[in-house]
Amino acid sequence: MLFSQVASAVGLFAAGVSAHGAVTSYVIDGKNYPGYQGFSPSNSKDVIQRQWSDYNPITSCSSAKMRCNGGTSATQSATVAAGANVTAIWQQWTHSQGPILVWMYKCSGAFSSCDGSGSGWFKIDEAGFFGDGTKVFLDSETPSGWHIAKIVGGNKPWSSRIPAALAPGNYLIRHELIALHQANAPQFYPECAQLVVTGTGTKEPDSSYKAAIPGYCKDSDPNIKVPINTRTIAQTYVVPGPKVWTGA
Ligand SMILES: *[C@@H]1O[C@H](CO)[C@@H](O)[C@H](O)[C@H]1NC(C)=O
Ligand SMILES: [Cu+2]
């Protein structure tokens, strides 16, 4: 808590600098899996999460770090039955505007050769804006009207179901927060983990549900470059990327 309080203060008082965050652990099918800790990544090597070097914001849709915050490999994977939930936990997070996106990518073989390239990423979950944008809007205001406000604080979870119909195999799962609290200056925070999906599913999303990362958005998109301080955001804010695939 102390760190997060200090980080909040930095975010409040230093112009252009804010407190950041990353997925730091997972609960999958009831079991805890540690991820990296933002302050000493080299101390936690044998985890299911692809190692990221820092949790500074990514500020462009076209950044190579968009894929997995720069992470390319992990030594472990978690086994999860299709239809079960994966819960990501952010040890700290402070921004209460922006969408939450949860993506998956099917590896064609071993995780060690799975780089997440090509248009293979599909969303299994998303959450955006539900509030009254004319009244409740700024980072200091709660509730903000965004689901992301639910993970502000310490060790907050976000749970998503692996579609029950999804075919078994090796998959990457990518949790992404897009912080929109600075007008027209989005910040992306993605982390990936390695999942072995089991079960009797046979389906995969078709190409209309898939996108490349980087590539699913442009910096000029109206749901990416958001003039948040004008309080004029449409009540119909559309979460970036293709539509969510539920397997139904
Ligand atoms: C599982 O994830 C879904 C969203 O995909 C959510 O609605 C549901 O509440 C989650 N279940 C649990 C037990 O967390
Ligand atoms: Cu921040």
Side-chain angles (χ1 to χ4, degrees):
M1 285 314 286
L2 186 58
F3 179 87
S4 107
Q5 283 159 6
V6 170
S8 297
V10 169
L12 278 175
F13 298 119
V17 177
S18 48
H20 313 313
V23 176
T24 45
S25 65
Y26 302 85
V27 180
I28 299 174
D29 235 352
K31 192 174 163 194
N32 291 310
Y33 292 90
Y36 283 94
Q37 305 289 317
F39 326 114
S40 54
S42 60
N43 286 346
S44 44
K45 286 200 177 79
D46 291 322
V47 296
I48 68 167
Q49 191 177 52
R50 293 200 158 186
Q51 180 170 3
W52 34 275
S53 54
D54 60 66
Y55 63 12
N56 292 328
I58 297 164
T59 57
S60 171
C61 285
S62 58
S63 167
K65 280 184 80 182
M66 277 291 274
R67 190 170 295 163
C68 292
N69 198 9
T72 57
S73 64
T75 58
Q76 310 282 305
S77 59
T79 299
V80 58
N85 273 31
V86 171
T87 302
I89 295 169
W90 286 260
Q91 189 182 74
Q92 66 158 52
W93 182 251
T94 61
H95 304 303
S96 48
Q97 286 79 29
I100 301 170
L101 304 83
V102 184
W103 303 74
M104 291 181 77
Y105 174 97
K106 188 168 195 192
C107 300
S108 56
F111 288 116
S112 57
S113 58
C114 183
D115 64 3
S117 61
S119 296
W121 291 95
F122 57 97
K123 288 194 293 194
I124 60 162
D125 191 17
E126 68 178 25
F129 185 62
F130 60 85
D132 178 352
T134 64
K135 289 187 190 140
V136 180
F137 213 42
L138 302 180
D139 209 15
S140 55
E141 297 170 337
T142 52
S144 70
W146 298 86
H147 293 281
I148 200 173
K150 293 178 186 161
I151 60 170
V152 170
N155 294 312
K156 293 291 177 66
W158 186 262
S159 192
S160 309
R161 183 168 289 114
I162 305 294
L166 187 65
N170 291 344
Y171 289 84
L172 303 179
I173 188 166
R174 175 179 178 276
H175 287 84
E176 175 175 33
L177 305 179
I178 307 179
L180 298 177
H181 59 288
Q182 290 183 344
N184 302 315
Q187 302 180 351
F188 303 86
Y189 296 90
E191 289 81 34
C192 298
Q194 300 182 164
L195 296 181
V196 179
V197 174
T198 61
T200 55
T202 55
K203 291 192 184 171
E204 286 179 43
D206 68 40
S207 61
S208 70
Y209 289 93
K210 289 180 176 173
I213 301 177
Y216 79 84
C217 60
K218 295 195 303 296
D219 293 346
S220 57
D221 287 346
N223 51 3
I224 293 288
K225 186 179 179 185
V226 176
I228 197 107
N229 293 333
T230 68
R231 298 172 183 255
T232 56
I233 189 166
Q235 299 291 300
T236 52
Y237 177 86
V238 176
V239 177
K243 56 188 183 293
V244 169
W245 187 75
T246 62

PDB file of all heavy atoms in Angstrom, residues 44-77:
ATOM      1  N   SER A  44      11.678 -13.135 -10.507  1.00  0.00           N
ATOM      2  CA  SER A  44      10.549 -14.061 -10.609  1.00  0.00           C
ATOM      3  C   SER A  44      10.538 -14.708 -11.982  1.00  0.00           C
ATOM      4  O   SER A  44       9.680 -14.447 -12.806  1.00  0.00           O
ATOM      5  CB  SER A  44       9.244 -13.333 -10.321  1.00  0.00           C
ATOM      6  OG  SER A  44       9.200 -12.094 -10.979  1.00  0.00           O
ATOM      7  N   LYS A  45      11.491 -15.563 -12.222  1.00  0.00           N
ATOM      8  CA  LYS A  45      11.691 -16.102 -13.567  1.00  0.00           C
ATOM      9  C   LYS A  45      10.691 -17.178 -13.963  1.00  0.00           C
ATOM     10  O   LYS A  45      10.246 -17.209 -15.087  1.00  0.00           O
ATOM     11  CB  LYS A  45      13.092 -16.712 -13.686  1.00  0.00           C
ATOM     12  CG  LYS A  45      14.207 -15.679 -13.766  1.00  0.00           C
ATOM     13  CD  LYS A  45      15.469 -16.320 -14.365  1.00  0.00           C
ATOM     14  CE  LYS A  45      16.593 -15.327 -14.530  1.00  0.00           C
ATOM     15  NZ  LYS A  45      17.302 -15.063 -13.270  1.00  0.00           N
ATOM     16  N   ASP A  46      10.393 -18.085 -13.042  1.00  0.00           N
ATOM     17  CA  ASP A  46       9.609 -19.258 -13.428  1.00  0.00           C
ATOM     18  C   ASP A  46       8.126 -19.019 -13.209  1.00  0.00           C
ATOM     19  O   ASP A  46       7.533 -19.485 -12.247  1.00  0.00           O
ATOM     20  CB  ASP A  46      10.100 -20.491 -12.663  1.00  0.00           C
ATOM     21  CG  ASP A  46      11.483 -20.886 -13.138  1.00  0.00           C
ATOM     22  OD1 ASP A  46      11.741 -20.789 -14.360  1.00  0.00           O
ATOM     23  OD2 ASP A  46      12.304 -21.275 -12.299  1.00  0.00           O
ATOM     24  N   VAL A  47       7.557 -18.272 -14.123  1.00  0.00           N
ATOM     25  CA  VAL A  47       6.150 -17.923 -14.033  1.00  0.00           C
ATOM     26  C   VAL A  47       5.496 -18.146 -15.397  1.00  0.00           C
ATOM     27  O   VAL A  47       6.177 -18.371 -16.402  1.00  0.00           O
ATOM     28  CB  VAL A  47       5.965 -16.458 -13.575  1.00  0.00           C
ATOM     29  CG1 VAL A  47       6.500 -16.270 -12.163  1.00  0.00           C
ATOM     30  CG2 VAL A  47       6.612 -15.497 -14.542  1.00  0.00           C
ATOM     31  N   ILE A  48       4.162 -18.063 -15.418  1.00  0.00           N
ATOM     32  CA  ILE A  48       3.424 -18.263 -16.673  1.00  0.00           C
ATOM     33  C   ILE A  48       3.372 -16.988 -17.516  1.00  0.00           C
ATOM     34  O   ILE A  48       2.958 -17.022 -18.660  1.00  0.00           O
ATOM     35  CB  ILE A  48       1.985 -18.755 -16.408  1.00  0.00           C
ATOM     36  CG1 ILE A  48       1.144 -17.661 -15.739  1.00  0.00           C
ATOM     37  CG2 ILE A  48       1.992 -20.026 -15.572  1.00  0.00           C
ATOM     38  CD1 ILE A  48      -0.348 -17.972 -15.729  1.00  0.00           C
ATOM     39  N   GLN A  49       3.776 -15.874 -16.923  1.00  0.00           N
ATOM     40  CA  GLN A  49       3.656 -14.593 -17.616  1.00  0.00           C
ATOM     41  C   GLN A  49       4.917 -14.289 -18.418  1.00  0.00           C
ATOM     42  O   GLN A  49       6.030 -14.533 -17.956  1.00  0.00           O
ATOM     43  CB  GLN A  49       3.431 -13.479 -16.588  1.00  0.00           C
ATOM     44  CG  GLN A  49       3.026 -12.144 -17.191  1.00  0.00           C
ATOM     45  CD  GLN A  49       2.761 -11.107 -16.116  1.00  0.00           C
ATOM     46  OE1 GLN A  49       3.585 -10.888 -15.238  1.00  0.00           O
ATOM     47  NE2 GLN A  49       1.595 -10.490 -16.177  1.00  0.00           N
ATOM     48  N   ARG A  50       4.710 -13.763 -19.615  1.00  0.00           N
ATOM     49  CA  ARG A  50       5.850 -13.349 -20.434  1.00  0.00           C
ATOM     50  C   ARG A  50       6.484 -12.100 -19.821  1.00  0.00           C
ATOM     51  O   ARG A  50       5.786 -11.136 -19.527  1.00  0.00           O
ATOM     52  CB  ARG A  50       5.401 -13.118 -21.878  1.00  0.00           C
ATOM     53  CG  ARG A  50       4.975 -14.450 -22.501  1.00  0.00           C
ATOM     54  CD  ARG A  50       4.974 -14.450 -23.997  1.00  0.00           C
ATOM     55  NE  ARG A  50       5.082 -15.837 -24.453  1.00  0.00           N
ATOM     56  CZ  ARG A  50       5.220 -16.195 -25.722  1.00  0.00           C
ATOM     57  NH1 ARG A  50       5.265 -15.279 -26.677  1.00  0.00           N
ATOM     58  NH2 ARG A  50       5.334 -17.467 -26.044  1.00  0.00           N
ATOM     59  N   GLN A  51       7.783 -12.177 -19.640  1.00  0.00           N
ATOM     60  CA  GLN A  51       8.466 -11.141 -18.862  1.00  0.00           C
ATOM     61  C   GLN A  51       8.439  -9.792 -19.555  1.00  0.00           C
ATOM     62  O   GLN A  51       8.861  -9.651 -20.694  1.00  0.00           O
ATOM     63  CB  GLN A  51       9.915 -11.540 -18.594  1.00  0.00           C
ATOM     64  CG  GLN A  51      10.645 -10.478 -17.777  1.00  0.00           C
ATOM     65  CD  GLN A  51      12.001 -10.933 -17.296  1.00  0.00           C
ATOM     66  OE1 GLN A  51      12.446 -12.035 -17.621  1.00  0.00           O
ATOM     67  NE2 GLN A  51      12.650 -10.090 -16.525  1.00  0.00           N
ATOM     68  N   TRP A  52       7.985  -8.809 -18.822  1.00  0.00           N
ATOM     69  CA  TRP A  52       8.019  -7.439 -19.308  1.00  0.00           C
ATOM     70  C   TRP A  52       9.127  -6.700 -18.585  1.00  0.00           C
ATOM     71  O   TRP A  52       9.499  -7.042 -17.462  1.00  0.00           O
ATOM     72  CB  TRP A  52       6.674  -6.752 -19.129  1.00  0.00           C
ATOM     73  CG  TRP A  52       5.896  -7.155 -17.913  1.00  0.00           C
ATOM     74  CD1 TRP A  52       5.060  -8.234 -17.793  1.00  0.00           C
ATOM     75  CD2 TRP A  52       5.900  -6.511 -16.647  1.00  0.00           C
ATOM     76  NE1 TRP A  52       4.530  -8.277 -16.531  1.00  0.00           N
ATOM     77  CE2 TRP A  52       5.027  -7.227 -15.812  1.00  0.00           C
ATOM     78  CE3 TRP A  52       6.539  -5.376 -16.141  1.00  0.00           C
ATOM     79  CZ2 TRP A  52       4.788  -6.870 -14.492  1.00  0.00           C
ATOM     80  CZ3 TRP A  52       6.297  -5.008 -14.825  1.00  0.00           C
ATOM     81  CH2 TRP A  52       5.429  -5.756 -14.017  1.00  0.00           C
ATOM     82  N   SER A  53       9.664  -5.678 -19.243  1.00  0.00           N
ATOM     83  CA  SER A  53      10.842  -5.008 -18.689  1.00  0.00           C
ATOM     84  C   SER A  53      10.472  -3.851 -17.774  1.00  0.00           C
ATOM     85  O   SER A  53      11.234  -3.472 -16.888  1.00  0.00           O
ATOM     86  CB  SER A  53      11.720  -4.495 -19.819  1.00  0.00           C
ATOM     87  OG  SER A  53      10.937  -3.679 -20.671  1.00  0.00           O
ATOM     88  N   ASP A  54       9.308  -3.278 -17.991  1.00  0.00           N
ATOM     89  CA  ASP A  54       8.878  -2.162 -17.150  1.00  0.00           C
ATOM     90  C   ASP A  54       7.375  -2.009 -17.351  1.00  0.00           C
ATOM     91  O   ASP A  54       6.814  -2.591 -18.265  1.00  0.00           O
ATOM     92  CB  ASP A  54       9.594  -0.856 -17.518  1.00  0.00           C
ATOM     93  CG  ASP A  54       9.314  -0.458 -18.960  1.00  0.00           C
ATOM     94  OD1 ASP A  54       8.152  -0.138 -19.272  1.00  0.00           O
ATOM     95  OD2 ASP A  54      10.247  -0.485 -19.788  1.00  0.00           O
ATOM     96  N   TYR A  55       6.754  -1.227 -16.501  1.00  0.00           N
ATOM     97  CA  TYR A  55       5.330  -0.996 -16.715  1.00  0.00           C
ATOM     98  C   TYR A  55       5.042   0.465 -17.051  1.00  0.00           C
ATOM     99  O   TYR A  55       4.013   1.011 -16.686  1.00  0.00           O
ATOM    100  CB  TYR A  55       4.465  -1.532 -15.592  1.00  0.00           C
ATOM    101  CG  TYR A  55       4.625  -0.940 -14.213  1.00  0.00           C
ATOM    102  CD1 TYR A  55       5.347   0.213 -13.978  1.00  0.00           C
ATOM    103  CD2 TYR A  55       3.999  -1.548 -13.124  1.00  0.00           C
ATOM    104  CE1 TYR A  55       5.467   0.741 -12.727  1.00  0.00           C
ATOM    105  CE2 TYR A  55       4.092  -1.028 -11.859  1.00  0.00           C
ATOM    106  CZ  TYR A  55       4.839   0.125 -11.666  1.00  0.00           C
ATOM    107  OH  TYR A  55       4.941   0.641 -10.417  1.00  0.00           O
ATOM    108  N   ASN A  56       5.976   1.045 -17.777  1.00  0.00           N
ATOM    109  CA  ASN A  56       5.729   2.388 -18.281  1.00  0.00           C
ATOM    110  C   ASN A  56       4.650   2.322 -19.352  1.00  0.00           C
ATOM    111  O   ASN A  56       4.484   1.318 -20.020  1.00  0.00           O
ATOM    112  CB  ASN A  56       7.004   2.991 -18.856  1.00  0.00           C
ATOM    113  CG  ASN A  56       8.029   3.259 -17.776  1.00  0.00           C
ATOM    114  OD1 ASN A  56       7.665   3.570 -16.645  1.00  0.00           O
ATOM    115  ND2 ASN A  56       9.289   3.086 -18.101  1.00  0.00           N
ATOM    116  N   PRO A  57       3.921   3.411 -19.535  1.00  0.00           N
ATOM    117  CA  PRO A  57       2.869   3.374 -20.545  1.00  0.00           C
ATOM    118  C   PRO A  57       3.427   3.253 -21.949  1.00  0.00           C
ATOM    119  O   PRO A  57       4.477   3.811 -22.262  1.00  0.00           O
ATOM    120  CB  PRO A  57       2.156   4.714 -20.352  1.00  0.00           C
ATOM    121  CG  PRO A  57       3.123   5.589 -19.627  1.00  0.00           C
ATOM    122  CD  PRO A  57       3.975   4.682 -18.804  1.00  0.00           C
ATOM    123  N   ILE A  58       2.702   2.517 -22.781  1.00  0.00           N
ATOM    124  CA  ILE A  58       2.949   2.497 -24.217  1.00  0.00           C
ATOM    125  C   ILE A  58       2.027   3.566 -24.779  1.00  0.00           C
ATOM    126  O   ILE A  58       0.852   3.637 -24.414  1.00  0.00           O
ATOM    127  CB  ILE A  58       2.615   1.111 -24.785  1.00  0.00           C
ATOM    128  CG1 ILE A  58       3.542   0.050 -24.156  1.00  0.00           C
ATOM    129  CG2 ILE A  58       2.720   1.101 -26.308  1.00  0.00           C
ATOM    130  CD1 ILE A  58       3.054  -1.374 -24.340  1.00  0.00           C
ATOM    131  N   THR A  59       2.544   4.406 -25.654  1.00  0.00           N
ATOM    132  CA  THR A  59       1.758   5.578 -26.048  1.00  0.00           C
ATOM    133  C   THR A  59       1.354   5.577 -27.516  1.00  0.00           C
ATOM    134  O   THR A  59       0.795   6.548 -27.999  1.00  0.00           O
ATOM    135  CB  THR A  59       2.544   6.870 -25.736  1.00  0.00           C
ATOM    136  OG1 THR A  59       3.795   6.798 -26.405  1.00  0.00           O
ATOM    137  CG2 THR A  59       2.767   7.021 -24.247  1.00  0.00           C
ATOM    138  N   SER A  60       1.602   4.457 -28.226  1.00  0.00           N
ATOM    139  CA  SER A  60       1.183   4.399 -29.626  1.00  0.00           C
ATOM    140  C   SER A  60       0.693   3.010 -29.983  1.00  0.00           C
ATOM    141  O   SER A  60       1.300   2.003 -29.595  1.00  0.00           O
ATOM    142  CB  SER A  60       2.350   4.762 -30.550  1.00  0.00           C
ATOM    143  OG  SER A  60       1.989   4.499 -31.900  1.00  0.00           O
ATOM    144  N   CYS A  61      -0.385   2.967 -30.770  1.00  0.00           N
ATOM    145  CA  CYS A  61      -0.927   1.706 -31.280  1.00  0.00           C
ATOM    146  C   CYS A  61       0.106   0.903 -32.057  1.00  0.00           C
ATOM    147  O   CYS A  61      -0.010  -0.311 -32.170  1.00  0.00           O
ATOM    148  CB  CYS A  61      -2.098   1.983 -32.223  1.00  0.00           C
ATOM    149  SG  CYS A  61      -3.619   2.478 -31.418  1.00  0.00           S
ATOM    150  N   SER A  62       1.069   1.581 -32.637  1.00  0.00           N
ATOM    151  CA  SER A  62       2.021   0.891 -33.515  1.00  0.00           C
ATOM    152  C   SER A  62       3.295   0.452 -32.795  1.00  0.00           C
ATOM    153  O   SER A  62       4.181  -0.145 -33.407  1.00  0.00           O
ATOM    154  CB  SER A  62       2.371   1.788 -34.708  1.00  0.00           C
ATOM    155  OG  SER A  62       2.895   2.999 -34.239  1.00  0.00           O
ATOM    156  N   SER A  63       3.379   0.686 -31.506  1.00  0.00           N
ATOM    157  CA  SER A  63       4.568   0.277 -30.768  1.00  0.00           C
ATOM    158  C   SER A  63       4.726  -1.241 -30.761  1.00  0.00           C
ATOM    159  O   SER A  63       3.752  -1.974 -30.555  1.00  0.00           O
ATOM    160  CB  SER A  63       4.476   0.782 -29.327  1.00  0.00           C
ATOM    161  OG  SER A  63       5.460   0.156 -28.522  1.00  0.00           O
ATOM    162  N   ALA A  64       5.947  -1.720 -30.927  1.00  0.00           N
ATOM    163  CA  ALA A  64       6.190  -3.163 -30.854  1.00  0.00           C
ATOM    164  C   ALA A  64       5.857  -3.707 -29.465  1.00  0.00           C
ATOM    165  O   ALA A  64       5.505  -4.875 -29.307  1.00  0.00           O
ATOM    166  CB  ALA A  64       7.644  -3.469 -31.201  1.00  0.00           C
ATOM    167  N   LYS A  65       5.965  -2.860 -28.452  1.00  0.00           N
ATOM    168  CA  LYS A  65       5.654  -3.302 -27.087  1.00  0.00           C
ATOM    169  C   LYS A  65       4.167  -3.569 -26.882  1.00  0.00           C
ATOM    170  O   LYS A  65       3.774  -4.132 -25.868  1.00  0.00           O
ATOM    171  CB  LYS A  65       6.124  -2.258 -26.068  1.00  0.00           C
ATOM    172  CG  LYS A  65       7.616  -2.330 -25.770  1.00  0.00           C
ATOM    173  CD  LYS A  65       8.019  -1.353 -24.679  1.00  0.00           C
ATOM    174  CE  LYS A  65       7.705  -1.891 -23.285  1.00  0.00           C
ATOM    175  NZ  LYS A  65       8.054  -0.928 -22.224  1.00  0.00           N
ATOM    176  N   MET A  66       3.332  -3.152 -27.847  1.00  0.00           N
ATOM    177  CA  MET A  66       1.889  -3.398 -27.709  1.00  0.00           C
ATOM    178  C   MET A  66       1.571  -4.879 -27.540  1.00  0.00           C
ATOM    179  O   MET A  66       0.598  -5.240 -26.886  1.00  0.00           O
ATOM    180  CB  MET A  66       1.140  -2.864 -28.939  1.00  0.00           C
ATOM    181  CG  MET A  66       0.844  -1.399 -28.873  1.00  0.00           C
ATOM    182  SD  MET A  66      -0.391  -1.012 -27.620  1.00  0.00           S
ATOM    183  CE  MET A  66      -1.900  -1.261 -28.563  1.00  0.00           C
ATOM    184  N   ARG A  67       2.390  -5.756 -28.147  1.00  0.00           N
ATOM    185  CA  ARG A  67       1.986  -7.170 -28.173  1.00  0.00           C
ATOM    186  C   ARG A  67       1.895  -7.745 -26.768  1.00  0.00           C
ATOM    187  O   ARG A  67       0.854  -8.233 -26.375  1.00  0.00           O
ATOM    188  CB  ARG A  67       2.931  -7.975 -29.062  1.00  0.00           C
ATOM    189  CG  ARG A  67       2.399  -9.372 -29.295  1.00  0.00           C
ATOM    190  CD  ARG A  67       3.178 -10.096 -30.354  1.00  0.00           C
ATOM    191  NE  ARG A  67       3.034  -9.476 -31.662  1.00  0.00           N
ATOM    192  CZ  ARG A  67       3.856  -9.698 -32.685  1.00  0.00           C
ATOM    193  NH1 ARG A  67       4.880 -10.510 -32.532  1.00  0.00           N
ATOM    194  NH2 ARG A  67       3.652  -9.118 -33.849  1.00  0.00           N
ATOM    195  N   CYS A  68       2.961  -7.725 -26.038  1.00  0.00           N
ATOM    196  CA  CYS A  68       2.956  -8.303 -24.686  1.00  0.00           C
ATOM    197  C   CYS A  68       3.822  -7.456 -23.754  1.00  0.00           C
ATOM    198  O   CYS A  68       4.561  -8.000 -22.940  1.00  0.00           O
ATOM    199  CB  CYS A  68       3.462  -9.737 -24.713  1.00  0.00           C
ATOM    200  SG  CYS A  68       2.360 -10.904 -25.556  1.00  0.00           S
ATOM    201  N   ASN A  69       3.745  -6.153 -23.922  1.00  0.00           N
ATOM    202  CA  ASN A  69       4.610  -5.235 -23.177  1.00  0.00           C
ATOM    203  C   ASN A  69       6.085  -5.618 -23.362  1.00  0.00           C
ATOM    204  O   ASN A  69       6.898  -5.493 -22.452  1.00  0.00           O
ATOM    205  CB  ASN A  69       4.245  -5.202 -21.693  1.00  0.00           C
ATOM    206  CG  ASN A  69       4.813  -3.980 -20.991  1.00  0.00           C
ATOM    207  OD1 ASN A  69       5.342  -3.083 -21.639  1.00  0.00           O
ATOM    208  ND2 ASN A  69       4.738  -3.957 -19.676  1.00  0.00           N
ATOM    209  N   GLY A  70       6.399  -6.126 -24.532  1.00  0.00           N
ATOM    210  CA  GLY A  70       7.775  -6.498 -24.830  1.00  0.00           C
ATOM    211  C   GLY A  70       8.134  -7.911 -24.419  1.00  0.00           C
ATOM    212  O   GLY A  70       9.199  -8.408 -24.780  1.00  0.00           O
ATOM    213  N   GLY A  71       7.262  -8.580 -23.689  1.00  0.00           N
ATOM    214  CA  GLY A  71       7.573  -9.940 -23.222  1.00  0.00           C
ATOM    215  C   GLY A  71       7.502 -10.942 -24.366  1.00  0.00           C
ATOM    216  O   GLY A  71       6.554 -10.925 -25.147  1.00  0.00           O
ATOM    217  N   THR A  72       8.492 -11.815 -24.481  1.00  0.00           N
ATOM    218  CA  THR A  72       8.518 -12.779 -25.580  1.00  0.00           C
ATOM    219  C   THR A  72       8.519 -14.229 -25.113  1.00  0.00           C
ATOM    220  O   THR A  72       8.331 -15.122 -25.932  1.00  0.00           O
ATOM    221  CB  THR A  72       9.750 -12.550 -26.472  1.00  0.00           C
ATOM    222  OG1 THR A  72      10.924 -12.636 -25.659  1.00  0.00           O
ATOM    223  CG2 THR A  72       9.692 -11.189 -27.153  1.00  0.00           C
ATOM    224  N   SER A  73       8.747 -14.477 -23.847  1.00  0.00           N
ATOM    225  CA  SER A  73       8.797 -15.876 -23.422  1.00  0.00           C
ATOM    226  C   SER A  73       8.518 -16.007 -21.935  1.00  0.00           C
ATOM    227  O   SER A  73       8.643 -15.054 -21.173  1.00  0.00           O
ATOM    228  CB  SER A  73      10.172 -16.476 -23.734  1.00  0.00           C
ATOM    229  OG  SER A  73      11.161 -15.811 -22.980  1.00  0.00           O
ATOM    230  N   ALA A  74       8.112 -17.219 -21.564  1.00  0.00           N
ATOM    231  CA  ALA A  74       7.910 -17.570 -20.156  1.00  0.00           C
ATOM    232  C   ALA A  74       8.250 -19.048 -20.027  1.00  0.00           C
ATOM    233  O   ALA A  74       8.101 -19.813 -20.982  1.00  0.00           O
ATOM    234  CB  ALA A  74       6.470 -17.313 -19.725  1.00  0.00           C
ATOM    235  N   THR A  75       8.699 -19.447 -18.842  1.00  0.00           N
ATOM    236  CA  THR A  75       9.102 -20.841 -18.670  1.00  0.00           C
ATOM    237  C   THR A  75       7.919 -21.743 -18.329  1.00  0.00           C
ATOM    238  O   THR A  75       8.015 -22.953 -18.490  1.00  0.00           O
ATOM    239  CB  THR A  75      10.142 -20.974 -17.545  1.00  0.00           C
ATOM    240  OG1 THR A  75       9.573 -20.447 -16.349  1.00  0.00           O
ATOM    241  CG2 THR A  75      11.421 -20.220 -17.889  1.00  0.00           C
ATOM    242  N   GLN A  76       6.809 -21.157 -17.834  1.00  0.00           N
ATOM    243  CA  GLN A  76       5.691 -21.962 -17.348  1.00  0.00           C
ATOM    244  C   GLN A  76       4.437 -21.685 -18.163  1.00  0.00           C
ATOM    245  O   GLN A  76       4.351 -20.701 -18.890  1.00  0.00           O
ATOM    246  CB  GLN A  76       5.400 -21.615 -15.882  1.00  0.00           C
ATOM    247  CG  GLN A  76       6.618 -21.635 -14.973  1.00  0.00           C
ATOM    248  CD  GLN A  76       7.022 -23.034 -14.577  1.00  0.00           C
ATOM    249  OE1 GLN A  76       6.216 -23.795 -14.044  1.00  0.00           O
ATOM    250  NE2 GLN A  76       8.265 -23.397 -14.833  1.00  0.00           N
ATOM    251  N   SER A  77       3.463 -22.559 -17.961  1.00  0.00           N
ATOM    252  CA  SER A  77       2.132 -22.308 -18.509  1.00  0.00           C
ATOM    253  C   SER A  77       1.116 -22.825 -17.502  1.00  0.00           C
ATOM    254  O   SER A  77       1.447 -23.633 -16.638  1.00  0.00           O
ATOM    255  CB  SER A  77       1.955 -23.007 -19.861  1.00  0.00           C
ATOM    256  OG  SER A  77       2.151 -24.403 -19.710  1.00  0.00           O
TER     257      SER A  77
END
